[in-house]
Structures are given as C-alpha cells and as structure tokens.
Amino acid sequence: MVSNGRLRLDFVCVHNAGRSQIAAAFAERERAERGLEGVVEIHSGGTDPAETVHAEVVRTMDEVGIDIGSETPTHVADLDQLRESDYLITMGCYISEFNPARYGVESLEWDLTNPDGRDRETVRGVRDETETRVETLFDEVERRAEKERASTDSSGGIVAALRDTLSI
C-alpha cells in the first residue's frame, strides 16, 4: 500500500494513447460514483508515450459522455515507483521495459485490441469491454469495502479490504 494510505491502481501500456486512457477514465468515473475518492488512487502511463491520445478514442469516449480530449499521454511512473502500486493492469500490449513481478507487484493483463487506426465499431468494442472490466473490478472492490465497513470502524480496515480484493 502506498504511504498515503490509499490504494494505488496503475493502468499501463506502451503509448498511453488508447486503452490505458480509456481504463483510467472509466476508473475515475467509478471511483467518483462509488464515493471512493479518498481510498483509490488512479494512475495511467506508457513506457513510450505518444504525442496525443488517439483521435478515434477521444471520439468514442465522447459518445458515452466522457471527455478525454484534453488528456496527454504520460510516461509511466518511474519504474521503481511501481513497487508502490497495489495493482498494475496492462492493456494487452507488449511492454518489454519491465516485468511487473520483478517489482513485486501483482498484475492483471487485459488482452485488449489496440484501438489505434481501427474503425469506429472496433474502437467501440474496446471501449465497452474496458468499461465492463473496470466496472467488474470496482464491483468487487465495493463489495469487499461494504463487508469491511460492516465489521470495522477503522478506515485502515477498509483500505486493507480493498487491497485484498485487488490481490485476488
């Protein structure tokens, strides 16, 4: 767990211009809708960031009311900082610069199609599959958090329950 007591999620791919941007946007929405702002910290980055988020991704996210047009691809946190990640999710792209296990970080590989240059229907499919995966992740986080809230008065217990959820 990161030193500030929050659960850290990292969505990582090579260019940080499509899949990881979609996942982070849906995670931010879920975090806000579920009242987990003080508990879940969300990061998105790439090992070789593009100049801009892919235009087809921006358009497709606009269709569901999420504006990521002002987002800028960023470099993944210093690779050593990945040790602070509670959960690392890669998007299905080959990331040769690191092996999550090397950093002692549990990881989940979401084998998603790269939306770059794809037709609108393909990009919609990637968006919708990513949304479902993020919602499922947060459903489990929320179930565990509610169970923990019922059994403890301590916010530390809630964070521990969330961390345990993501470690499954």
Side-chain angles (χ1 to χ4, degrees):
M1 184 177 345
V2 292
S3 60
N4 64 9
R6 292 170 58 152
L7 183 77
R8 178 176 171 144
L9 302 176
D10 286 276
F11 295 98
V12 179
C13 64
V14 173
H15 295 122
N16 190 227
R19 296 166 285 191
S20 57
Q21 291 283 348
I22 293 169
F26 282 129
E28 289 171 5
R29 182 195 68 191
E30 291 301 312
R31 176 181 64 188
E33 287 180 357
R34 297 166 191 251
L36 297 172
E37 293 91 343
V39 177
V40 178
E41 183 178 326
I42 299 164
H43 296 271
S44 173
T47 57
D48 183 21
E51 293 292 318
T52 61
V53 175
H54 302 310
E56 56 269 46
V57 169
V58 172
R59 281 190 302 271
T60 304
M61 291 300 285
D62 279 341
E63 293 175 356
V64 295
I66 298 176
D67 180 8
I68 62 170
S70 64
E71 296 296 325
T72 303
T74 59
H75 193 270
V76 68
D78 177 5
L79 296 180
D80 286 332
Q81 288 180 350
L82 290 177
R83 286 180 173 54
E84 298 176 1
S85 183
D86 292 286
Y87 214 83
L88 172 67
I89 300 169
T90 58
M91 302 288 115
C93 43
Y94 178 69
I95 302 173
S96 62
E97 284 80 3
F98 67 94
N99 172 348
R102 183 174 93 197
Y103 295 93
V105 175
E106 292 195 46
S107 65
L108 179 62
E109 174 70 28
W110 288 356
D111 190 18
L112 299 166
T113 300
N114 184 353
D116 186 22
R118 302 291 181 135
D119 63 85
R120 186 168 287 199
E121 286 308 309
T122 299
V123 179
R124 284 178 179 148
V126 172
R127 176 200 64 203
D128 295 346
E129 182 178 351
T130 304
E131 179 179 28
T132 299
R133 288 175 185 244
V134 169
E135 288 173 347
T136 300
L137 177 67
F138 273 83
D139 285 347
E140 183 61 25
V141 166
E142 192 171 50
R143 275 193 297 277
R144 290 285 181 106
E146 289 303 317
K147 184 187 283 186
E148 186 63 24
R149 282 184 185 123
S151 66
T152 183
D153 295 331
S154 161
S155 65
I158 294 169
V159 172
L162 290 171
R163 186 167 188 216
D164 290 346
T165 296
L166 294 176
S167 296
I168 292 176

